[in-house]
């Protein structure tokens, strides 16, 4: 069974940084596109960023210029570096396997394009 595990969340002050990691359990990531989504209380799940198998990327406008997605196939991990964090970035962050091509073509990430999801990691931005 394909499973993903997110880590790296926590409490950070506005303007701070966090790096989230997404690692698989029982398989290698190099054959999969990976997306990061987030869900804040009372809000719908939002696509944040995704990366293809060859490393091309997509970012939602809300995080462009602040977040960077990357993959290290040798470490079997995908990262989401989050800088200049804002209180509105507070959410549970999830990674999932799926295609980044739709988002790159049409400018929006859809949950339905992604199959296997992790349990999420909480990010709280607060002073």
């Amino acid at each position: 069974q394909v499973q993903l595990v997110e880590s790296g969340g926590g409490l950070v002050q506005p303007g701070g940084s966090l790096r989230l990691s997404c690692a698989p359990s029982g398989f290698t990531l190099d054959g999969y596109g990976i997306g990061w989504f987030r869900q804040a209380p009372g809000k719908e799940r939002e696509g944040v960023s995704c990366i293809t198998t060859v490393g091309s990327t997509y970012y939602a406008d809300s995080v462009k210029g602040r977040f960077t997605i990357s993959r290290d196939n040798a470490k079997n991990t995908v990262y989401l570096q989050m800088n200049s964090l804002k209180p509105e970035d507070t959410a549970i962050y999830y990674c999932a396997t799926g295609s980044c091509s739709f988002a790159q073509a049409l400018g929006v990430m859809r949950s339905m394009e992604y199959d296997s999801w992790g349990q999420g990691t909480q990010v709280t931005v607060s002073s």
Side-chain angles (χ1 to χ4, degrees), residues 33-38 45-71 78-82 93-94 96 98-111 113-114:
I34 299 294
W36 283 97
F37 290 78
R38 66 186 181 188
R45 188 169 292 186
E46 171 192 19
V48 173
S49 180
C50 59
I51 189 166
T52 69
T53 56
V54 296
S56 60
T57 59
Y58 161 86
Y59 297 95
D61 287 343
S62 58
V63 306
K64 202 171 291 183
R66 301 188 298 123
F67 290 12
T68 303
I69 191 171
S70 62
R71 63 191 306 151
V78 169
Y79 302 100
L80 186 67
Q81 177 68 43
M82 306 187 297
Y93 283 70
Y94 302 88
S99 173
C100 190
S101 300
F102 181 90
Q104 291 178 317
L106 297 184
V108 61
M109 291 174 65
R110 300 190 308 178
S111 298
E113 304 291 329
Y114 293 81

